[in-house]
Structure formats: structure tokens, C-alpha cells
């Protein structure tokens, strides 16, 4: 998979690509990430990327010409997804991360200031994505959130011991509690069942803990799920 990121702050993006799972996915050629400085696609002496909004108001707008030039240079095929990060976009979630991970080419546009000229959206952008209902000063952190979430669900990106199958949201539920050694710490015991060696019982316990956590913290997630009769009974008896 290839991801191109267009930004006026490559220095914000680059270090994050050099660590952990993202670094490993690139080293294994599962993922290629190219970071492009929008200023390299300007034609004036001052490398101007933004301008005042027509109609007035606070904030600057990213000009259309450098963005059009940058995307033209990337020669996207018609199947490429051109994603603009904006608080006005579709809320990002694990299903979208999984869907994007099946694409072969993504182009991420990081906005700054008040946003981008509407004609870039009209002509080039295929998807608008938000990472939450708050406003960041630019699209760099949102772009990194996408690259990280997508990179770790690429086939073979995670080692066996890091399976994404058990992540929060991968089955529509929040993850269960986890413990490691020591078995007793500051008077707190690891639940006996986890020390029992009964694999089936442990799996059932973990699933019930996920159900319980989801019901307590994110009940709206359960509404969209098909729960088994056993799950429904568990939730009813553990209110
Ligand atoms: N740019 C600024 N804030 C953002 C957000 N919440 N999501 C995506 N892009 C953004």
C-alpha cells in the first residue's frame, strides 16, 4: 500500500513514521509512506500556500493551485482515495481503518488555518474524515492517526503476539482488562480464572468483561450489534 501525505509541516509527520509498527511495516515493504511539502508546489518567490478568504472573516485558506499541482504530480489512478482531514468529515473508526487498509493508494491532505479552497474538495477530494469533535490546528495529527490505525491492520503488520483481532472495536466491543506478573500487587489479585489454565473459561470471561465494559462506558455501541442469547442473558444478570 502507498500513502502520500501533503502538508506544510513534514517535520511533524516524519519522526512518527520512524518508530514501532509503522517503521516495521515500511521496512517490510507492506507500506510506503511519502511526505510532500506543499510549499514545493508553489511557483512564487515567497512559496505562498495560503490567502485571505473571499467575503472576509478570520483565518487563512490554503490556495488551490499548490494542492492541484501536488496531486497531479502524484499521478493518482482513478481508484486512489484522496482524503481531506477536517472536523467536518465522517467520524473515523476501526471499520474505516480496515476499509482503507484494503486500498492500494491513499493521498492525505493536511489542512491548516481555516481550511482549503472549496474547489479542491469539489474536484479532487474523494473522502473527508474527522478524528473527533474537536478542532486541531491542522490535519497532521489526524493524518498520523489514520496512517497508524491503517498501518497496524495491514495483513502481516502485527506479530502473532499483537493480533488486531482482540483489539477494542475489532469485534464491535471494547477490549477486556489485562494483567501481567506479579499475580499479587499492592494487595490486588489477578482474577483466579486467568491463572486457572482453562482456556475456554478464560475466553468466556474475557468476552463477558468486554461486554460489561462496553455496556458501562459505550452503551451505544451495543445497540448496533447482534448479540447472542448468552450475551443478552449475561448483560441482563450483570446490570
Ligand atoms: N483538522 C482539524 N481538526 C481536525 C479533526 N478533528 N479531524 C480531522 N482533521 C482536523
Amino acid at each position: 500500500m502507498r500513502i502520500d501525505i501533503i502538508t506544510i509541516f513534514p517535520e511533524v509527520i516524519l519522526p512518527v513514521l520512524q518508530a514501532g509498527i509503522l517503521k516495521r511495516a515500511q521496512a517490510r515493504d507492506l507500506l510506503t509512506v511519502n511526505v510532500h511539502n506543499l510549499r514545493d508546489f508553489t511557483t512564487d518567490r515567497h512559496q505562498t500556500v495560503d490567502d485571505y478568504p473571499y467575503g472576509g472573516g478570520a483565518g487563512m485558506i490554503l490556495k488551490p493551485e499548490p494542492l492541484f499541482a501536488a496531486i497531479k504530480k502524484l499521478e493518482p489512478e482513478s481508484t486512489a482515495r484522496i482524503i481531506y482531514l477536517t472536523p467536518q468529515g465522517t467520524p473515523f473508526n476501526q471499520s474505516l481503518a480496515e476499509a482503507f487498509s484494503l486500498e492500494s493508494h491513499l493521498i492525505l491532505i493536511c489542512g491548516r488555518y481555516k481550511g482549503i479552497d472549496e474547489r479542491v474538495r469539489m474536484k479532487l477530494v474523494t473522502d473527508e474524515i474527522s478524528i473527533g469533535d474537536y478542532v486541531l490546528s491542522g490535519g497532521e495529527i489526524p493524518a498520523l492517526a489514520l496512517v497508524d490505525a491503517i498501518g497496524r491492520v495491514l495483513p502481516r503488520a502485527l506479530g502473532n503476539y499483537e493480533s488486531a483481532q482482540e483489539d477494542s472495536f475489532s469485534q464491535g466491543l471494547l477490549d477486556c482488562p489485562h494483567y501481567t506478573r506479579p499475580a499479587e500487587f499492592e494487595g490486588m489479585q489477578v482474577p483466579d480464572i486467568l491463572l486457572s489454565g482453562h482456556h475456554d473459561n478464560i475466553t468466556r470471561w474475557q468476552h463477558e468483561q468486554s461486554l460489561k465494559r462496553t455496556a458501562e462506558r459505550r452503551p451505544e455501541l451495543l445497540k448496533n450489534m447482534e448479540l447472542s442469547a448468552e450475551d443478552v442473558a449475561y448483560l441482563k444478570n450483570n446490570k
Side-chain angles (χ1 to χ4, degrees):
M1 159 176 242
R2 168 180 161 203
I3 302 180
D4 289 292
I5 306 177
I6 303 172
T7 170
I8 58 168
F9 290 124
E11 68 274 23
V12 173
I13 308 266
L14 287 166
V16 183
L17 304 176
Q18 303 308 325
I21 290 167
L22 285 178
K23 178 180 178 180
R24 203 170 65 198
Q26 293 171 94
R28 289 189 187 165
D29 281 337
L30 305 175
L31 175 65
T32 304
V33 187
N34 306 308
V35 183
H36 309 276
N37 191 334
L38 186 62
R39 291 194 195 280
D40 293 343
F41 299 92
T42 55
T43 49
D44 65 315
R45 206 158 51 91
H46 301 291
Q47 299 194 296
T48 311
V49 290
D50 61 337
D51 206 342
Y52 295 98
Y54 275 115
M60 302 290 275
I61 311 295
L62 288 182
K63 292 166 66 58
E65 305 94 319
L67 282 167
F68 269 74
I71 289 170
K72 186 168 179 209
K73 168 91 182 303
L74 299 177
E75 298 185 328
E77 307 234 351
S78 59
T79 52
R81 306 277 286 258
I82 304 182
I83 303 170
Y84 173 48
L85 287 313
T86 167
Q88 299 154 51
T90 305
F92 189 54
N93 60 21
Q94 192 66 23
S95 316
L96 278 171
E98 284 164 19
F100 285 139
S101 78
L102 304 176
E103 301 286 345
S104 55
H105 187 195
L106 304 178
I107 298 177
L108 307 184
I109 302 175
C110 305
R112 275 271 149 186
Y113 318 114
K114 208 53 198 155
I116 60 175
D117 187 283
E118 188 66 17
R119 289 161 292 189
V120 179
R121 290 173 132 139
M122 288 161 60
K123 200 63 177 258
L124 298 175
V125 168
T126 61
D127 300 85
E128 298 188 27
I129 299 290
S130 163
I131 63 159
D133 290 342
Y134 42 83
V135 179
L136 297 168
S137 51
E140 284 74 16
I141 289 170
L144 284 170
L146 258 70
V147 173
D148 191 278
I150 293 166
R152 63 188 296 290
V153 292
L154 289 172
R156 298 187 296 124
L158 296 184
N160 289 337
Y161 59 93
E162 305 165 316
S163 165
Q165 285 299 307
E166 291 164 17
D167 285 347
S168 280
F169 309 112
S170 74
Q171 317 290 330
L173 295 174
L174 300 184
D175 200 1
C176 63
H178 297 285
Y179 297 86
T180 185
R181 282 185 285 194
E184 195 236 297
F185 178 69
E186 302 218 338
M188 295 175 284
Q189 302 284 341
V190 172
D192 284 341
I193 190 150
L194 294 178
L195 310 176
S196 70
H198 286 294
H199 187 68
D200 291 348
N201 292 352
I202 292 172
T203 305
R204 181 71 210 159
W205 179 87
Q206 290 172 328
H207 181 69
E208 287 174 356
Q209 293 294 312
S210 282
L211 278 170
K212 182 163 175 272
R213 241 181 208 185
T214 311
E216 284 165 3
R217 300 182 183 187
R218 300 288 304 278
E220 80 283 7
L221 293 177
L222 293 176
K223 295 218 175 76
N224 306 322
M225 285 186 63
E226 284 195 19
L227 295 174
S228 67
E230 213 180 354
D231 288 351
V232 174
Y234 173 82
L235 286 170
K236 203 170 145 217
N237 297 331
N238 290 274
K239 274 218 179 106

